[in-house]
Amino acid sequence: MKVFLLMIACFVPMVALADGEAEYKYREGIMNSAKGHISSMGAILKGQVHMDNLQIHADGMVDVAGIMPDVFPAGSQTAKSEALDAVWDDAAAFKEAMDKFVSASNGMAAAAKTGEMGEIGPAIQALGGSCKGCHDDFRQEH
Ligand code: HEC
């Protein structure tokens, strides 16, 4: 019980601090998860190694895509953030870019399931294109 209370005591200040900075940090983590999965899939396909893991990364990307729409709350554009104002000012276009990514992730997971390179190749191209499509319009690299 004492340990439990101690844990609560540690968490409370963190909750109190949950702000734009914390949201930004979490978003960075999510984006880097996306990067990890797509670069792992690229390495698998290029080197023909660990082919059995392709599905795991593709499914992982579907999970990331399930989270990504929620990691751009208002007020999370910190000084370090590379997100352009358009994320919030042009919410409809941003949602469109996000939807493309979500459906490309689903497409990649379905393609991986077939095990056919003819399906997998175009699916990963579309997935990578959906990252770039959003970054081109909504991210300014520092
Ligand atoms: C709908 C828009 C959108 C999609 C889709 C998207 N990103 Fe991003 N990404 C952003 C924005 C905006 C930022 C800048 C966020 C910030 O700095 O606050 C970013 C930042 C990043 C970063 C930098 C993270 C850091 O450490 O600062 C990486 C890496 C990244 N994205 C990878 C990806 C990959 C890989 C995909 C596709 C699998 C992807 N993103 C899909 C909008 C998107």
Side-chain angles (χ1 to χ4, degrees):
M1 190 59 186
K2 253 187 198 154
V3 173
F4 178 70
L5 287 176
L6 203 66
M7 281 169 64
I8 296 283
C10 291
F11 276 114
V12 167
M14 285 171 67
V15 169
L17 282 175
D19 56 7
E21 188 64 36
E23 292 284 355
Y24 162 72
K25 278 271 167 221
Y26 182 56
R27 177 162 68 235
E28 258 195 320
I30 294 296
M31 287 296 169
N32 283 306
S33 306
K35 184 181 172 188
H37 283 308
I38 201 164
S39 57
S40 297
M41 288 192 280
I44 286 170
L45 294 170
K46 191 157 183 245
Q48 296 290 300
V49 289
H50 299 280
M51 278 302 281
D52 289 352
N53 292 348
L54 188 69
Q55 190 75 55
I56 293 172
H57 293 292
D59 290 345
M61 191 68 94
V62 171
D63 288 342
V64 168
I67 296 170
M68 203 186 277
D70 300 330
V71 301
F72 289 91
S76 62
Q77 199 186 26
T78 64
K80 272 185 265 166
S81 174
E82 297 177 342
L84 294 174
D85 292 346
V87 168
W88 296 277
D89 292 351
D90 197 351
F94 186 68
K95 184 181 182 302
E96 207 174 294
M98 190 65 83
D99 288 349
K100 263 190 202 153
F101 164 63
V102 172
S103 74
S105 301
N106 290 331
M108 180 63 208
K113 212 157 277 168
T114 70
E116 300 286 339
M117 282 312 293
E119 304 271 335
I120 292 168
I124 198 162
Q125 291 280 332
L127 182 59
S130 75
C131 313
K132 188 177 182 305
C134 187
H135 291 169
D136 283 351
D137 292 343
F138 298 100
R139 176 186 179 200
Q140 175 70 60
E141 280 190 64
H142 292 168

